[in-house]
Amino acid sequence: GDSALFVIRDGKVIYKTKEQTFMFNGPLQLGTRSNVNVLKDAESKRLEIMEGDIVVAASDGVIDNLFPEEISKIAAEHVALKPAPPNSVDLQIARAIAVAARKVSESKTVTTPFSRSALEHGYHYQGGKVDDVSVVVGVVKRVQPQGEAGKKPPFLKASL
């Protein structure tokens, strides 16, 4: 609905979830207070990812204000910086995307994905769109299984 998942490889968006709406600015939403959309409306997708791919999950406060190319450019710039621990590259990318989205949301003049979509639907809207800004970033890394050679490592359970 009003969030998206991106996979970025070599500085380019190679996958982006499709927008799911029932009308302009009317996203499908699944949740405890959603009595209109049901679980069957959800989309499930399997993707092949590679070491070094960057996976970005972002709320509408990000995707309404930043184009995919802007998100991938921010990611590529921060990968190139190679920050030293404890400033992990995924954390740096997430912060930079959030800051950029927040800044654009406050603009009254910039062209955004939201303003472009509004125009395509017959509405005049210019500038950013103030909304919640949430972003989670992961950089795919290869890990060696722990356990005896040829045996699968044990599964771990986590409680949240």
Side-chain angles (χ1 to χ4, degrees):
D2 59 350
S3 58
L5 181 100
F6 302 83
V7 177
I8 301 167
R9 180 177 298 151
D10 298 324
K12 297 191 183 331
V13 175
I14 63 162
Y15 176 79
K16 178 186 178 295
T17 52
K18 65 179 180 152
E19 187 176 9
Q20 295 179 301
T21 60
F22 59 89
M23 60 183 263
F24 170 69
N25 202 26
L28 296 180
Q29 295 182 326
L30 302 177
T32 56
R33 294 190 174 175
S34 175
N35 57 4
V36 177
N37 309 124
V38 293
L39 192 54
K40 71 175 180 53
D41 293 326
E43 180 181 326
S44 177
K45 182 91 170 170
R46 284 186 180 261
L47 301 170
E48 287 194 26
I49 55 176
M50 297 173 49
E51 187 172 12
D53 285 355
I54 301 166
V55 181
V56 179
S59 69
D60 52 346
V62 174
I63 63 173
D64 284 345
N65 290 299
L66 298 177
F67 289 99
E69 301 78 27
E70 293 172 305
I71 293 170
S72 64
K73 181 180 179 190
I74 291 168
E77 288 170 352
H78 282 80
V79 165
L81 294 176
K82 299 180 182 178
N87 297 315
S88 63
V89 70
D90 45 1
L91 178 61
Q92 294 298 315
I93 293 168
R95 283 183 180 156
I97 290 171
V99 166
R102 174 67 186 244
K103 182 177 179 182
V104 169
S105 77
E106 296 169 345
S107 171
K108 302 292 184 208
T109 58
V110 70
T111 299
T112 63
F114 184 82
S115 67
R116 186 171 287 168
S117 181
L119 188 60
E120 290 169 1
H121 287 88
Y123 298 96
H124 175 72
Y125 188 94
Q126 188 62 36
K129 180 177 178 254
V130 176
D131 208 332
D132 63 306
V133 173
S134 301
V135 60
V136 177
V137 174
V139 178
V140 178
K141 295 181 182 173
R142 183 179 308 273
V143 295
Q144 296 298 322
Q146 296 184 12
E148 296 176 34
K151 287 181 81 177
K152 289 184 179 179
F155 288 99
L156 301 175
K157 289 177 91 175
S159 299
L160 302 176

